Amino acid sequence: MDTPGSLAERPRPEALKRAIDVLAAVVLLVLAAPLILVVAVLVAAGLGRPVLFRQPRAGRHGRVFEVVKFRTMLPPDPLRGRVRDGDRLTPLGRFLRSTSLDELPTLWNVLRGDMSLVGPRPLLTEYLPRYSPTQARRHEVRPGVTGLAQVRGRNSLGWEEKLDLDVWYVDHRSLRLDLSILAATVRTVLRREGISAAGSATAPEFLGTPPLVPAAPGPDAALTVPAGGHR
């Protein structure tokens, strides 16, 4: 029989994490309301409508939800040479991304329960069948506004590195780790680190990790990893 203060009566870590997410999202949305209004006006004046960018993303257990962010790109227009992300990204969009101000509306996703403040970033739904079984474990938790991969290099990391960090977070998550990631996020945003991948305005498409291939036959033949990929 449980006694007062016993382990059974303590809030589960997941429930506590969710309670902190809701409280923090409400406080941040209220405090940031004037800033959100200013950014909305800037986006409307600089990029036109719609002000918000909505896109299906893969959430916890692969459940699809609609992420909400400020728009940073102009629509594709082949006649004006706006096809690639780099051509569509405006100076205002680059500023919003570098300062992460485009992420402010994502707090609504946190409030709704689609996301957490900390967790693996929500990625495109078409990536779901491209993950290895290990990489797919990143969906065992709610995706986050920020995450371990975002403070360890963000888009300067390769996909395999980012997904490895996502799975490491799933296995080692704790409130203490979340607080350290949030503190590191502030430093990363202020330094504007890892905004873009090399040679890309944002990040290249994830095409899946190449499978391991056998090494050349020999007495010590072993599995090797193709260039650019690892477990």
Side-chain angles (χ1 to χ4, degrees):
M1 181 177 179
D2 296 327
T3 58
S6 68
L7 181 62
E9 292 184 341
R10 295 175 189 171
R12 294 184 307 168
E14 287 298 323
L16 180 58
K17 178 181 172 70
R18 178 64 190 143
I20 293 173
D21 282 342
V22 172
L23 180 61
V26 169
V27 171
L28 290 174
L29 280 170
V30 171
L31 293 178
L35 180 59
I36 290 173
L37 180 61
V38 169
V39 175
V41 171
L42 290 175
V43 172
L47 298 173
R49 296 176 183 276
V51 169
L52 296 178
F53 170 79
R54 301 172 183 273
Q55 187 177 53
R57 296 289 178 94
R60 190 180 190 185
H61 304 313
R63 183 181 67 83
V64 178
F65 71 98
E66 191 174 62
V67 72
V68 184
K69 304 169 67 172
F70 278 121
R71 197 156 67 91
T72 58
M73 288 186 177
L74 293 167
D77 187 346
L79 296 179
R80 298 183 180 182
R82 295 202 305 254
V83 179
R84 300 176 305 168
D85 287 352
D87 301 325
R88 299 168 54 208
L89 196 59
T90 66
L92 173 61
R94 291 183 190 279
F95 172 75
L96 294 179
R97 290 194 176 204
S98 67
T99 55
S100 296
L101 289 175
D102 62 319
E103 301 280 355
L104 286 173
T106 310
L107 292 170
W108 174 246
N109 289 116
V110 176
L111 201 57
R112 281 172 46 89
D114 300 324
M115 296 175 60
S116 173
L117 289 178
V118 180
R121 286 288 295 167
L123 300 178
L124 299 176
T125 55
E126 50 261 46
Y127 291 179
L128 283 172
R130 302 176 188 175
Y131 299 124
S132 70
T134 298
Q135 291 168 344
R137 293 191 57 232
R138 69 190 306 280
H139 294 291
E140 292 178 9
V141 299
R142 284 189 179 88
V145 178
T146 185
L148 185 59
Q150 279 60 53
V151 300
R152 292 287 181 84
R154 210 171 173 182
N155 285 331
S156 65
L157 300 177
W159 274 112
E160 283 71 27
E161 293 173 286
K162 284 194 281 191
L163 297 176
D164 282 351
L165 289 170
D166 289 344
V167 176
W168 191 94
Y169 171 81
V170 170
D171 289 334
H172 298 84
R173 64 187 185 277
S174 67
L175 293 177
R176 182 177 181 180
L177 177 60
D178 282 3
L179 291 175
S180 68
I181 290 174
L182 287 172
T185 298
V186 175
R187 293 194 298 270
T188 300
V189 171
L190 290 177
R191 295 172 181 171
R192 302 188 184 186
E193 296 173 338
I195 300 168
S196 303
S200 174
T202 52
E205 181 181 359
F206 174 62
L207 300 174
T209 301
L212 298 178
V213 297
D220 298 322
L223 293 180
T224 58
V225 182
H230 61 82
R231 290 180 185 274

